[in-house]
Amino acid sequence: MPQVPLTCAQTGQPVPDYLVHTLDGNFVDGSGRTLLLRGVNLSGSSKAPVGHPSHILKDFWEAGEAGSESFVGQPLNLADGSADEHLRRLRGWGFNMLRYPITWEALEHEGPGKYDYEFIDYTIRVLRKCKEYGFKVYLDPHQDVWSRFSGGSGAPYWTLPACGINPRAFTATQAAILHCEYPSPPPDSRDPASLPSMIWSTNYGRLASQTLFALFFGGRTFAPKCIIDGINIQDYLQSHFTRAFAILAERIRDAGGLLDEVVVGWDGMNEPAEGFIAYPDLNVYPTVQGSTLKKGSVPSPAQSFRLGMGIAQTVDYYTLGGFGPIRDGTVTIDPCGASIWADPADEPGGVHPRWKWRRDPQWKLGLCVWALHGVWDVETGYILQPDYFRYLPLSTSVPTPPSAESESRVEVDFLHDFFLPQVTSYFSAIRAAHPNAIAFVQVPVFAVPPEVPETLLQGRACAAPHYYDGLTLISRHWNWYNADALGMIRGKYSNPVFAVRVGEKAIRACIRSQLGVLKADAVQLGTAPLSAPSLPSSPLAVQARYPTIIGEIGTPFDMDRKASYDPSNPRYGDYGPQERALDASLSAADGANALNYTVWTYCTDSTHRWSDGWNMEDLSLWSSDDLACRIGSPTSTDVTMNGGVGMMTPAHASTATLATLRSASLPYASVSEPAHVRLAFLRDGARAVKAFCRPWPVSTVGVPSTIEFDIGKATVKILVTVRAGDMPRVYKELGEDEGEGEEDTEGAEAKSEKTSGSGTASVHSLESEKILEEKPSPLPTEIFLPLVHFASETCVSRSLVLAGQQQAQTIPDGDADPDTHGTGCVPTGTATPNTYTASTATLLLSSPRLNSVSPSEIRIANEAYDVTVKMSEGHVELCERTQMLRWFYSVPTTPGARKEVWIEVKRTGGAIKYPRGAGARSRKGRAGFAGWLEGLSGGDMNPCPESCIVM
């Protein structure tokens, strides 16, 4: 591992010890340990204002046109104490990283250049709350298919009329599918609950989204007549987008104590799209499988042009077959003359009365912008230039490869010609306010990144692709077969049948392979600028300079027609298939991939009826409808009604907030409650919790080579490569008494925390070290060991009683000692800790009897845990309160030396088999976390003392 720099290259200042580095393909902490950053997107709810999920039509258009809706309250309610409860739950699940979606609309909804500083200040308060719980955050300028007003999220309403578009005609022309108007707006029938799964994503292939992205990325090249306020629409849109997020960055900087300490970096635009750019033939829809889903009506670009001008068309219709979308006849769409192009009367004298921009006279409203530029003829409907977007115009400001002849037509490379200039401008603006920002580089879904020059990345970057198991996401079913979707899109197979995988073992291996390919894409980051992008012949053989984080990954929970939500279904309350699907995806991030990730998503207002509040997506890891006090109630999917319009407010909400409990003391556990109370809290409301609450090495001395977790056996094995130079740095404040002796781990952590929250970095010096062949590491490898998987039988049983569930069972393990309460099981929660090493088992006289199965196998059990630990060397400490196993071992000091060490932890007695389904709950549990505490010992809250068990 390269040495962590002592001086910041961006600022010239001493590097604070809380700064996260990107070195040698990994995230690295200030001491030089490899970090794995894993967490969740907080939150999918942030796509819309509070109380206005995507299915609500009332005031939808009116509020957008007025720019009046504030996003204050998304993603967390800071007024009622629930924010603490949610953040504590996320931390208790082991997460240390948050991807924080913020839409452009949330910042600039009132109009061009009018920023919502109330929302920005609210965001700062939420970030401070995240800091209290020890989270790192990267901010995500989120969008889907451009805007809420084109069927997704992201851009403010005013960007659509700025592009000469009338969005109220989207549904009639099928230029976009809007949830709140599905399948058709009044006076026809409207049934938003019937919106087909993932049909929102077909908007990427429809006229509105394709036009808007083409103008945003390539307006100067492909729409030179589109001039507004004296500049091209591309520059107008990009400058406003970039400035809005730069304003946010500046405000966060000025608030102090957040940049680098909490906010480690910024994502680029979420899932950017090419629009029409690089389209080979506007007369046909591409026959090669791409990342845009074919479902429902599928007009070709030529047909969408005509529909946009109000001309009826008969288009292909697709349904989902066993192996993907299949053509299922045609359907006729008749807009009855409605046009998406704004009426010239909307801008008297070329000036918009509401937004005040001035449109250039050559930009004629009422006419399709592509007809305006001679791409097609409105009178005949004929496409005049079918390859218009395939080539760069001969006179263009976009640089062409020097090898190209001056008179030849140069094919468009969207990523190199259009995406890279935009992302360069954006990150440059962000770094003006946040010099140390890590650039999370995200390209269109499943695209190979362009070669991004180091002049942009400056040593602080990360590849940030997204991955979903597409078949499961679309079909809402965990199938016995699947396919290598990434391989198909990238042309790996001559025939799609070769991409098919049958059986769960093959499916899991396939998903892991796909994530490995996405990780290998990071070799594109930090290359020298070239005239045209190219891939190494064997990317896996090239060491990436920068790490990879899977920015979005997850699985739907409304599988099989919402069987888990239906009180009449035997699977009511059972998330078994969802657990298998999610485990397959997250397990794929383990193995040799050892990937960082942020799961999509955690929504505090997720309900069974309206899902995550956006286009019927249902991927939230938690729902109030799954709280123990609600399962079994036939009204658990009801919603509060407001003016006849369904709202997202749960009919029953937890009455508990952590505001009534003691304040935070540690990020992973802010209340010293008994372990069984904590376990019950972490499971309550969670869906498929065993899949996402997983063991993993958080901070590693060396680099994790492989991570293997068997969810069915509750066994994790971690292999670490340790090299000379991986010895962690132990910081000592300058001026500290040199005669104080060696600094222990607890002290090192405490000193690290001293700089957090100050906003000013302390100046440090390194401890002097003797050069030895091997030397014990002063800092441990820290492994998150979740109670959800490794709790003792006593802890599990008590937690289920608390939650009103029946007794848990365990899955037998042939190698496990079935005696969990005899002399072989040692309660070690004593005042004097026990110390165990890989070669010896030391029994302190003050401790109860120990049973060591072998010199290198140690079993320890108490009220919280019952685990057996094997390791190649060293010793471990288990901190119950933080659910963290600390593993100490030696590091080679001879230059060039390296070694591998391993550790295996399993739950003694096998995996916990929690009750599944509604029948598992024999009585109602108390509502909320505070209710559990109050219910202990006859209402007398007397949590057990904190303890750190050393093994």
Side-chain angles (χ1 to χ4, degrees):
M1 182 70 65
Q3 290 295 307
V4 172
L6 297 177
T7 303
C8 177
Q10 286 73 25
T11 65
Q13 299 297 314
V15 172
D17 56 3
Y18 53 73
L19 189 68
V20 174
H21 305 268
T22 53
L23 300 169
D24 201 21
N26 295 288
F27 290 110
V28 179
D29 69 12
S31 67
R33 293 182 295 179
T34 300
L35 289 177
L36 274 183
L37 299 177
R38 293 182 168 183
V40 70
N41 280 261
L42 187 70
S43 160
S45 303
S46 298
K47 296 181 179 185
V50 174
H52 211 142
S54 63
H55 66 277
I56 294 180
L57 180 60
K58 183 180 180 182
D59 296 329
F60 176 73
W61 295 113
E62 294 77 9
E65 291 164 352
S68 58
E69 285 198 293
S70 170
F71 282 65
V72 171
Q74 297 289 30
L76 296 172
N77 188 331
L78 296 178
D80 64 359
S82 62
D84 290 280
E85 183 169 344
H86 292 299
L87 290 173
R88 184 173 182 275
R89 180 180 290 113
L90 293 172
R91 204 64 163 115
W93 286 341
F95 296 149
N96 60 358
M97 182 68 145
L98 298 176
R99 183 171 183 253
Y100 195 106
I102 296 177
T103 63
W104 179 9
E105 181 189 4
L107 300 173
E108 203 177 359
H109 56 86
E110 294 182 25
K114 297 180 180 179
Y115 305 108
D116 190 338
Y117 289 104
E118 181 185 0
F119 171 76
I120 294 174
D121 291 342
Y122 156 80
T123 300
I124 290 170
R125 293 195 299 275
V126 175
L127 291 173
R128 292 203 187 283
K129 183 65 68 175
C130 294
K131 180 178 180 178
E132 291 179 23
Y133 288 86
F135 285 106
K136 298 297 184 183
V137 173
Y138 67 111
L139 296 172
D140 158 38
H142 203 86
Q143 75 79 35
D144 304 274
V145 297
W146 186 260
S147 171
R148 280 199 301 143
F149 305 98
S150 55
S153 67
Y157 174 89
W158 56 262
T159 62
L160 282 80
C163 292
I165 289 174
N166 167 30
R168 287 190 182 239
F170 282 166
T171 297
T173 60
Q174 295 282 282
I177 292 177
L178 278 69
H179 188 193
C180 61
E181 291 187 343
Y182 188 84
S184 59
D188 297 326
S189 60
R190 190 178 74 89
D191 183 18
S194 67
L195 186 80
S197 64
M198 293 301 295
I199 200 166
W200 69 266
S201 68
T202 66
N203 286 329
Y204 276 115
R206 298 178 187 274
L207 179 60
S209 174
Q210 290 190 308
T211 294
L212 289 160
F213 279 109
L215 294 176
F216 179 83
F217 283 109
R220 285 199 308 269
T221 302
F222 298 108
K225 295 180 181 180
C226 293
I227 306 297
I228 187 170
D229 281 349
I231 59 176
N232 186 269
I233 188 63
Q234 172 185 333
D235 302 304
Y236 186 81
L237 294 172
Q238 287 192 19
S239 63
H240 278 287
F241 171 83
T242 298
R243 184 58 187 152
F245 285 95
I247 287 286
L248 174 63
E250 292 167 3
R251 196 85 164 187
I252 295 173
R253 175 200 62 197
D254 295 342
L258 292 174
L259 294 184
D260 301 330
E261 298 179 51
V262 182
V263 180
V264 298
W266 300 68
D267 217 341
M269 174 185 281
N270 179 72
E271 297 181 357
E274 305 93 328
F276 286 123
I277 298 175
Y279 225 94
D281 186 350
L282 295 173
N283 283 306
V284 297
Y285 203 94
T287 56
V288 178
Q289 174 64 45
S291 59
T292 300
L293 174 66
K294 293 180 181 177
K295 190 172 184 178
S297 60
V298 181
S300 69
Q303 290 173 321
S304 70
F305 289 165
R306 299 172 197 132
L307 286 167
M309 288 297 295
I311 304 169
Q313 297 287 293
T314 298
V315 306
D316 289 342
Y317 190 85
Y318 277 75
T319 57
L320 185 65
F323 291 94
I326 57 173
R327 187 177 179 275
D328 187 20
T330 60
V331 62
T332 298
I333 303 169
D334 187 357
C336 299
S339 171
I340 74 163
W341 303 106
D343 192 317
D346 292 346
E347 296 184 5
V351 178
H352 196 283
R354 170 71 176 86
W355 311 112
K356 305 303 182 186
W357 55 64
R358 180 175 293 277
R359 197 175 304 274
D360 191 275
Q362 65 179 332
W363 188 350
K364 301 183 186 299
L365 292 182
L367 179 66
C368 171
V369 294
W370 309 123
L372 179 68
H373 288 86
V375 179
W376 71 291
D377 179 68
V378 176
E379 292 292 329
T380 64
Y382 184 72
I383 301 297
L384 303 174
Q385 301 183 66
D387 58 0
Y388 180 77
F389 296 99
R390 182 177 180 179
Y391 298 99
L392 295 173
L394 292 181
S395 57
T396 176
S397 58
V398 177
T400 59
S403 60
E405 296 180 4
S406 59
E407 295 300 319
S408 66
R409 300 185 71 187
V410 179
E411 284 203 38
V412 163
D413 182 329
F414 170 77
L415 293 173
H416 185 265
D417 299 334
F418 300 99
F419 169 79
L420 195 53
Q422 185 276 327
V423 81
T424 298
S425 173
Y426 165 77
F427 280 124
S428 297
I430 293 297
R431 282 188 168 147
H434 187 181
N436 287 328
I438 296 172
F440 288 78
V441 181
Q442 181 187 168
V443 297
V445 176
F446 285 177
V448 178
E451 293 178 326
V452 182
E454 183 58 29
T455 52
L456 169 63
L457 304 180
Q458 301 177 19
R460 298 189 58 76
C462 174
H466 294 178
Y467 179 84
Y468 290 97
D469 168 8
L471 182 62
T472 302
L473 187 65
I474 297 168
S475 68
R476 296 295 200 264
H477 178 71
W478 177 240
N479 294 277
W480 55 269
Y481 62 91
N482 211 301
D484 179 4
L486 178 61
M488 286 194 296
I489 289 173
R490 294 194 177 183
K492 180 179 178 180
Y493 304 101
S494 59
N495 190 308
V497 72
F498 298 130
V500 175
R501 302 292 185 271
V502 177
E504 191 155 325
K505 183 177 180 180
I507 293 170
R508 293 169 70 92
C510 178
I511 296 174
R512 180 171 287 188
S513 174
Q514 291 176 74
L515 291 188
V517 172
L518 293 177
K519 181 178 181 179
D521 285 346
V523 301
Q524 295 292 92
L525 305 187
T527 60
L530 299 176
S531 57
S534 61
L535 272 175
S537 58
S538 179
L540 291 174
V542 180
Q543 172 64 51
R545 178 172 184 175
Y546 292 107
T548 298
I549 189 168
I550 306 300
E552 292 184 18
I553 188 169
T555 203
F557 289 98
D558 58 343
M559 287 186 181
D560 304 318
R561 300 182 180 180
K562 298 190 175 185
S564 301
Y565 304 163
D566 182 2
S568 65
N569 194 298
R571 273 184 47 196
Y572 179 47
D574 179 1
Y575 290 98
Q578 293 91 330
E579 180 181 292
R580 290 164 63 195
L582 187 56
D583 177 58
S585 288
L586 298 186
S587 178
D590 287 339
N593 289 332
L595 280 162
N596 309 275
Y597 57 73
T598 42
V599 179
W600 186 271
T601 175
Y602 183 95
C603 298
T604 64
D605 54 1
S606 176
T607 65
H608 289 176
R609 181 177 181 184
W610 293 113
S611 304
D612 300 341
W614 185 81
N615 283 324
M616 301 307 291
E617 276 204 349
D618 197 335
L619 286 87
S620 179
L621 301 180
W622 181 90
S623 172
S624 62
D625 280 351
D626 286 289
L627 291 170
C629 62
R630 300 196 58 189
I631 293 293
S633 169
T635 61
S636 64
T637 57
D638 291 346
V639 292
T640 303
M641 304 303 289
N642 182 3
V645 181
M647 301 293 286
M648 288 291 291
T649 307
H652 301 279
S654 173
T655 59
T657 70
L658 295 188
T660 62
L661 306 175
R662 286 175 287 180
S663 59
S665 58
L666 273 182
Y668 273 87
S670 53
V671 180
S672 302
E673 76 281 356
H676 68 282
V677 177
R678 190 184 319 140
L679 176 58
F681 172 65
L682 295 177
R683 291 186 60 238
D684 200 27
R687 289 107 73 89
V689 66
K690 291 178 69 176
F692 65 78
C693 186
R694 312 169 64 85
W696 50 284
V698 179
S699 305
T700 304
V701 177
V703 178
S705 304
T706 59
I707 307 165
E708 295 295 350
F709 172 55
D710 189 327
I711 193 173
K713 296 182 179 179
T715 301
V716 61
K717 184 170 184 178
I718 299 167
L719 181 67
V720 178
T721 300
V722 190
R723 299 169 295 182
D726 287 338
M727 182 68 72
R729 291 172 168 173
V730 179
Y731 287 93
K732 179 172 287 189
E733 305 287 349
L734 287 180
E736 189 173 307
D737 186 359
E738 296 296 331
E740 291 181 356
E742 290 190 4
E743 181 181 26
D744 62 14
T745 303
E746 298 281 350
E749 291 180 346
K751 288 176 182 175
S752 176
E753 292 175 358
K754 285 182 181 179
T755 59
S756 299
S758 65
T760 303
S762 301
V763 181
H764 301 88
S765 66
L766 292 176
E767 296 276 18
S768 60
E769 297 181 356
K770 292 171 61 180
I771 303 299
L772 302 173
E773 185 176 348
E774 277 198 359
K775 184 176 180 180
S777 171
L779 296 179
T781 285
E782 296 182 305
I783 302 167
F784 178 66
L785 204 65
L787 281 171
V788 166
H789 288 287
F790 298 98
S792 68
E793 186 173 339
T794 299
C795 178
V796 174
S797 298
R798 290 178 177 177
S799 74
L800 295 178
V801 170
L802 211 63
Q805 295 179 312
Q806 67 184 29
Q807 198 82 350
Q809 304 172 28
T810 58
I811 302 173
D813 187 331
D815 296 329
D817 182 355
D819 177 14
T820 56
H821 291 290
T823 58
C825 182
V826 184
T828 58
T830 58
T832 305
N834 295 323
T835 300
Y836 303 103
T837 68
S839 58
T840 64
T842 304
L843 177 63
L844 302 185
L845 295 179
S846 59
S847 302
R849 181 180 176 183
L850 162 75
N851 178 30
S852 179
V853 179
S854 71
S856 60
E857 181 173 304
I858 305 145
R859 180 178 176 191
I860 186 166
N862 53 37
E863 290 188 358
Y865 284 93
D866 187 354
V867 295
T868 301
V869 181
K870 298 179 183 179
M871 52 193 157
S872 60
E873 66 170 86
H875 70 277
V876 291
E877 300 175 353
L878 176 62
C879 287
E880 298 174 22
R881 188 169 56 155
T882 62
Q883 304 179 77
M884 199 70 73
L885 186 73
R886 297 173 176 176
W887 176 28
F888 292 85
Y889 45 81
S890 295
V891 177
T893 56
T894 304
R898 59 179 288 166
K899 68 176 184 178
E900 288 189 334
V901 295
W902 60 267
I903 188 170
E904 180 180 85
V905 184
K906 66 179 180 180
R907 182 179 185 271
T908 309
I912 303 166
K913 187 178 180 181
Y914 291 105
R916 293 189 186 276
R921 294 173 171 86
S922 57
R923 62 183 180 86
K924 290 186 177 180
R926 297 181 179 86
F929 182 57
W932 294 329
L933 290 182
E934 293 166 3
L936 294 177
S937 304
D940 181 23
M941 288 177 59
N942 183 28
C944 63
E946 304 165 3
S947 61
C948 180
I949 288 75
V950 183
M951 297 185 290

